[in-house]
Amino acid sequence: MTQPGIYGRRIGEPLNLKDAPSLITRSLRSAELAVVETRDDNPVPGLCGALPSEDAYLVSLKLRDYPDCECWERGRCVIKTDVRGGATYLYDLKRDPRYVIDKPFHSLFFYLPRSALEDIAKQSGAPRIGELAYEPGIGHHDSVVRHLGTALLDALHRPSEVNQLFLDHTMLALTAHVAQTYGGLRRNTELARGGLAPWQMKRACERLESDLGGSLSLQQIAAEFDLSVSHFSRAFRISTGLPPHQWLLHQRVKSAKQLLTIRDLPLSEIAISAGFANQSHFTRVFSSVVGVSPGAWRRDKHGATERET
C-alpha cells in the first residue's frame, strides 16, 4: 500500500482513518492533484470531522452502497439518500461537506483544486470555469470516472509499479473530464488538430526511452518544448497513436524482448533492466501486450532459432 501522505491524512483523518493510501501528481503547472482511497469496514459512528476549507472539489467514486446516507453542508443536514456503489458524487470544500458515518464505507476521492480547473480551461483556449454543477448527495452514472477510478485503484494497491507518466496522464484526463462534464468546458478544436513536429517527436521519444522506469513527468517533458501538458499529450497521441505512458510501456516490452534473446539472463534482471518494478509486474504487462508470458515467448523464440539451425 502507499503511505497516507498529506492528502491521505487531510481526507482520511476526518473519517477516522489512520491509513488512507494516496497518489499525488502535479500534471498541471500550478496545481497538485491527488487520489485517495478511503475504506472502513467497522467505523466509529458519528458525524465525520471537517475537511479542509479551500477552493477545491472532491470527486468521489463510491465503491460500495451506503444506504440512507445523511449528508451535511455548512453545518446542517441537506439531504438523506441512498448512495449507490459505482456512482460519482461531487463535494465543494468551501461548503464544509460532511456525512454521518454509521455503516461500512469504501470510496475513492479525487482532489481537484480550482487552479487545476482554471489551467485546463486556459490550456484549452476556453473561458474560465465557474462553479461545478452538482447537488449534494445526488450521484451521477459517470463511466469515465468509473474507468479511471478502477485504473487508479489498481495503482494504489501496487504503488511500486506506477510510473509517473501514467499517473500524470490519468489525473489530467480526470480533470479535463470533470471540467467538461460538470463545469461546461468547451475545448477549442483548433488546438487539437496537429501533432508534434518531426524534431519534437524525435526528441520526445528519446527522452522517454532514456527513462524506461517512467520517473519523468509529463510536465518535465512538455516544458522542454514550451508546451502545456495537455497540448503535448494530445499532440504526442496524434503523432504516435498512443498517449506517452502507453508508448513507453510498448518500449519496455520491446526492450524486454531484446533481453529475452539472451538465453541465461534471469527474468528478474530483465524486468528491472526494461523498467518494470519487479518480475511479477513484468510478467503481467508482457503477457497483456504480447499474449504469452515472457518465459513462453523466450522458449518459443529459442525453439524457433534451434529449428532454423
Side-chain angles (χ1 to χ4, degrees):
M1 276 289 188
T2 59
Q3 295 300 311
I6 182 172
Y7 291 101
R9 289 191 295 272
R10 288 165 70 181
I11 295 173
E13 287 180 359
L15 303 177
N16 300 317
L17 295 175
K18 294 181 180 179
D19 180 27
S22 64
L23 293 169
I24 302 169
T25 183
R26 187 185 288 274
S27 56
L28 292 159
R29 289 180 179 174
S30 63
E32 281 190 338
L33 309 171
V35 56
V36 179
E37 181 184 11
T38 62
R39 179 173 184 169
D40 196 337
D41 295 328
N42 189 28
V44 177
L47 183 66
C48 76
L51 292 158
S53 178
E54 55 186 290
D55 197 3
Y57 292 91
L58 293 178
V59 177
S60 181
L61 173 64
K62 304 305 180 183
L63 301 174
R64 69 185 298 172
D65 291 342
Y66 195 94
D68 207 23
C69 179
E70 187 174 316
C71 304
W72 288 51
E73 280 195 349
R74 294 173 173 148
R76 65 184 183 87
C77 177
V78 292
I79 191 172
K80 198 169 186 178
T81 185
D82 292 340
V83 169
R84 300 298 184 187
T88 295
Y89 294 78
L90 278 69
Y91 304 91
D92 186 342
L93 288 177
K94 299 190 302 298
R95 299 186 184 185
D96 187 23
R98 306 194 194 191
Y99 71 93
V100 173
I101 300 173
D102 56 5
K103 55 187 73 71
F105 61 85
H106 189 194
S107 303
L108 282 185
F109 284 97
F110 301 96
Y111 170 81
L112 302 182
R114 162 72 59 187
S115 55
L117 298 171
E118 291 179 349
D119 273 353
I120 284 287
K122 185 183 298 183
Q123 293 178 17
S124 302
R128 184 177 182 273
I129 295 172
E131 298 296 323
L132 298 186
Y134 83 97
E135 295 180 55
I138 303 301
H140 304 268
H141 296 289
D142 192 321
S143 60
V144 173
V145 172
R146 193 161 56 247
H147 172 74
L148 295 175
T150 299
L152 286 167
L153 187 63
D154 288 342
L156 282 161
H157 291 172
R158 289 193 288 263
S160 65
E161 299 178 8
V162 179
N163 72 68
Q164 191 63 43
L165 291 174
F166 164 77
L167 184 57
D168 288 354
H169 173 84
T170 307
M171 290 302 293
L172 180 66
L174 185 283
T175 306
H177 170 72
V178 169
Q180 292 178 65
T181 305
Y182 306 103
L185 174 71
R186 294 292 177 266
R187 287 189 180 276
N188 183 346
T189 55
E190 294 294 326
L191 295 177
R193 288 183 177 176
L196 295 171
W199 71 269
Q200 291 175 319
M201 191 67 246
K202 181 176 183 294
R203 185 169 163 190
C205 290
E206 288 173 349
R207 288 289 280 138
L208 289 169
E209 286 184 307
S210 72
D211 176 42
L212 286 177
S215 60
L216 283 173
S217 69
L218 280 178
Q219 186 179 5
Q220 287 175 296
I221 300 173
E224 294 190 15
F225 307 106
D226 197 27
L227 298 174
S228 70
V229 171
S230 55
H231 187 173
F232 171 76
S233 296
R234 285 196 303 270
F236 188 94
R237 185 166 192 161
I238 290 169
S239 295
T240 67
L242 294 170
H245 75 280
Q246 288 188 5
W247 186 90
L248 180 64
L249 182 147
H250 281 77
Q251 297 309 115
R252 287 178 176 178
V253 171
K254 179 180 176 182
S255 175
K257 283 182 174 180
Q258 292 174 340
L259 294 170
L260 283 167
T261 61
I262 304 173
R263 186 183 297 271
D264 296 325
L265 191 61
L267 292 181
S268 58
E269 292 186 21
I270 293 173
I272 301 303
S273 297
F276 295 97
N278 48 51
Q279 186 175 334
S280 174
H281 182 211
F282 168 43
T283 299
R284 186 166 54 255
V285 172
F286 189 96
S287 300
S288 174
V289 173
V290 181
V292 296
S293 70
W297 189 90
R298 170 185 260 175
R299 288 191 296 273
D300 182 66
K301 187 72 174 178
H302 285 303
T305 302
E306 290 170 359
R307 288 192 294 271
E308 288 173 2
T309 57

